[in-house]
Amino acid sequence: MDVDLLRPGTVPINPETVLWFEFLLNKELLLQHLQKSNPDPSPIELINKFTIAVFESFKNEARRVEMEGVEGINVPLNENNPDIPNRYSKKNIALKILSLKVAAYIKWNIVSLMALPFKIQVSVLQDLIYFTHNHISVELPNLEEHNPHTISPQHKFSLVIYYRWLICLSMRRVFCQMPPPRPNGEMTMEENYFCTEENIQRCIQFLVESLSWEKSPPMLNYECFVMLSEDTDDIEHTWDQAEQISKYEYDAQIHYELGCFFFYKENYDLAKNHFKSAMDCYRFVKTSTGFMYFNVEELQGYLMACQASPEESNKNLLHLFSICVANHYMGIVNILVEDNKYREIPLPYRINLELDIQSALSSGKFTVARDLLPKIHALNTIRCIIDEKGLHKYMHITERNQEFLIWAAAAVWDFSSVFEKQSIAAYFAQLSVSNKMPEFLKKFRSQEIFRDIAHNPILFEFEEHSADIKIPSLLENSSWDYPELTSKRNPKLEIRALEQQIIMNYDPINIRDLLVKITMKNSNRPVWKLNPKWELPIPLQSVIVSLQRGFLQDYAFILLAKSRELIIAKDWSTSLLLLKALESEIKDCNSDTSQMNKLAKLLTWEILLVEVTQLLEECPAPQIDKQALATACKNCLETNDSILPRTEVIEQCVLCLLNLGYWDFLYALDKRVSYFEFAKAIISACQELNKFKGEKEKRFPKDLWDLTLPAFISSSSSSQTKRSASGSSVVVHRDSPINNTKNIILSFFTRLRDGTALRVVISLLAKLHNILRDEAPLELNTEYINFWPSVVSNPLQYSSETVTEVLSQIVEQALKFYPHNLSWLRLMGDINFATEKYEHALNYYLKSLITAYEYFIIPIRSDDFLFRRMIKSSASLGCYTQAAVLCQFLENPDYLSAFHYLSEQKSCNDAVDAYYNYFWDTNILEYLIHTHNKKGEFQRRKRAIESIGLLELNSNNNEEIVREASNYRKTTFLRALCKQYVH
């Protein structure tokens, strides 16, 4: 069970669980916990939990004061800059001391401490400086200048820890591996605030000066920090318990960290000097207090990377290899020959070397000896054989390459074991046979150095029979076609092979040939039953099954089934190819039975279905003849034959004619199909919209409203009586078809492509959403929304979630075909705002602004409704500075909200003072200057002063200059938001 040790009572407590107040009551308990072999929680987790408990206690107290309006209580504005005795309770001070005791127990290991959240790292360092500096509060990184000769030893040690932490923080940023966003919304902006050039220079200067101190500062240990007792409130620590660090140990660690800093700053000369000094000091360290914790092997690696001289570090082959690569491969062959003997350089390094040289030569960067690349290739091949790795083979074996291979083998022969020699000889024999070069094996055997393996009888056998070895053509053939086998055939296997090819083939000619072959094999099983996923609609399947058993039945079923597969895959051309091949086959058939005529008629409608589906999916589909397609759809709907089209074909034809604008034709048809009812209702609303365009008081016909409402009855509702469009009463049960019309409506509405029809349907659903949700702050806004009824009877029986889901899908589908529709972009933003998806809401709001103002080339006008929702979205995401900037966009700036958001900067998720250049309202900038000055945030105050001091923000400017200044800042700010939320 996962138990939060600092929040008792949240879950059932295990008897072995230690609660936070027990650490306060029993002074021995913390040390006992830390001395466990594997303490859970770990020391770092304990620091995290103790500090979070202090933060939460502070926030709860501040919230209580704010709610109760208590006066006379001193509540700090900045929890990272506390006056601890006055502003924190005794319990919180004790928790801070516990955190420092744990940090002292782990020897102030900077790497471990940096695993904490950034805010907690700063808090621990501030507490350390506070307790060691006569209880004087300070806000990091704004430290005062101190004379190291006059400050106390314990304060000197705390400054060393802080400055070491600061250069480690800056190094992590230089290393181009920025950490991901941390918990509590902390971003890297706070790290940028610490790692300014001025702070880093001061840090380096202090640490370099510390190396010249006569005596290193003592390391504060666990016993130095004394817990508070119930008898006294005084904070007194025993600094004399600190452990003295030897000068060599101190200098070694500081030199190492300074060397790492300069190394990642690419100042390799300074880095080399510091690494050399660190190595020299390390050699004189006899016993370590734990202050020095770097890895000596890493230090040696840094020395090698800085190209230290042979006297400064022990060179090995890998080091020499790196130096040769840096010096354009001078002497690289000799190093590889030596490495084949001692095998110190990893094989991937050698393979990459060969590829790098080949790339450099092909690009013409530099030239080398002609035989360099073949020699390296030969040496790498021998190394692969010795290491039993995948062979780095030659692409083209020439006589010159053979000589290099033999030379590379001879260079390593005397240093190889018997097994390795046999492996090399076997590889040469294999190479000789595969490339049909018997002279290569003769050259190998003729060398005196290979005498101990050259008389191996296996090599003689290879040499004598290599020319006679012939590989059967069957083994070289990659196509395993059963009919071509010369051995005795198995008829069942041949039939299964043909059936498998039919399943995989989509060429009608190949399918026909394969079916003919199967028919000749006298297979008894119907081929159309091969694939269980081949399914046809019942009208088609019944006609095909009634055909005479034989080739045409199988052929028709397979082509129709494969055509439906291709429709799902949206491969329209191949689907039509299969259907037209079947149509041609039926015409060529001499049979004139009623079943064949019926199949031909149904096949015509299947071809029409594919064309209509393609039009709806690829709208506007300019390659399709829409007039001819509309004529075919009309003929399909007007047919009076005994053979009727399938329901799916009728539905698609209705949708096609509706989207192509043939409204009068559809409205005149008298068909008792649900799709016709929906189509007529939509057409009626569209005609009303076009007829009374511009009138504000018109109302749409209620037919579409009455048909749509039942689809959104909640599944939990009991049976209800509804009145249909015709006026008859219908009892709607939970599982009745009327209550399940959501799928029909969704499939119909999502396939609408006509702009007017989409506007009607979207406005209807948006109005229904507003009625059912009944929350004014979350209302949706779109055109024509006020033309629908304002109330529904018994709204509790409807599901607002379902309405929102369907509306979201329809608007998203509509934007695929009309991506620049301003009303729908804003509506999509409103839908995401109402469902609390604020990041997506900002995405669509910004897209609507891009569309309206041509990527902000046109001046932005006031739109209070839109900008207030953007403000709320930004604030909900924790981007308070962005929200404050947006407060200026309102017709009357909302100062109250802006000041509130700017006071929340400690938990802000945006770039904070990087947005100060986007403020043009001097009232807000003056508030920022006052707030930062009050909190002692001098860097941010300086940024705000720079912004308010710009000439274009002078209060005496005329209106045109003020307007231009605000327009410029609006434009640049919105473009910055677009980069964050849209691109």
Side-chain angles (χ1 to χ4, degrees), residues 326-343:
N327 293 329
H328 296 289
Y329 314 109
M330 295 296 294
I332 193 68
V333 173
N334 295 331
I335 293 175
L336 295 183
V337 170
E338 291 298 313
D339 185 61
N340 277 359
K341 301 175 184 178
Y342 304 107
R343 299 152 207 176

Side-chain angles (χ1 to χ4, degrees), residues 81-249:
N81 182 21
D83 184 3
I84 292 179
N86 297 329
R87 300 178 185 269
Y88 282 90
S89 65
K90 192 174 179 180
K91 178 190 71 175
N92 290 338
I93 296 173
L95 286 172
K96 286 178 173 290
I97 295 174
L98 285 176
S99 297
L100 294 177
K101 289 177 78 69
V102 176
Y105 183 83
I106 62 175
K107 306 294 185 182
W108 306 100
N109 188 299
I110 302 298
V111 176
S112 299
L113 290 175
M114 293 191 76
L116 290 165
F118 183 77
K119 184 177 181 180
I120 294 178
Q121 295 178 45
V122 176
S123 177
V124 171
L125 291 169
Q126 284 189 157
D127 294 341
L128 174 63
I129 296 173
Y130 170 82
F131 285 118
T132 57
H133 188 40
N134 301 324
H135 299 175
I136 298 175
S137 300
V138 65
E139 181 190 6
L140 298 180
N142 301 318
L143 285 176
E144 298 178 1
E145 295 289 343
H146 293 288
N147 185 351
H149 301 290
T150 59
I151 61 178
S152 63
Q154 62 271 16
H155 184 49
K156 190 183 297 185
F157 177 79
S158 65
L159 292 178
V160 168
I161 295 297
Y162 167 67
Y163 285 125
R164 288 176 56 212
W165 170 82
L166 188 56
I167 64 167
C168 288
L169 180 66
S170 65
M171 243 193 321
R172 179 171 58 184
R173 298 169 67 256
V174 172
F175 198 42
C176 299
Q177 292 184 350
M178 296 301 291
R182 297 180 175 82
N184 306 322
E186 296 167 313
M187 303 295 286
T188 58
M189 187 60 198
E190 294 189 22
E191 297 185 5
N192 295 338
Y193 179 54
F194 275 79
C195 298
T196 62
E197 187 67 26
E198 180 183 354
N199 289 337
I200 298 301
Q201 289 299 326
R202 185 192 304 175
C203 168
I204 298 302
Q205 181 181 357
F206 180 88
L207 292 176
V208 171
E209 288 179 358
S210 73
L211 295 171
S212 62
W213 295 344
E214 295 181 1
K215 188 177 181 181
S216 59
M219 183 170 64
L220 305 181
N221 55 22
Y222 184 88
E223 288 77 15
C224 290
F225 299 94
V226 180
M227 286 293 299
L228 296 176
S229 65
E230 63 275 11
D231 301 327
T232 178
D233 293 338
D234 295 335
I235 304 174
E236 296 181 358
H237 299 292
T238 56
W239 304 125
D240 55 345
Q241 297 288 333
E243 189 174 0
Q244 186 61 44
I245 308 171
S246 70
K247 183 63 174 169
Y248 289 120
E249 182 180 2

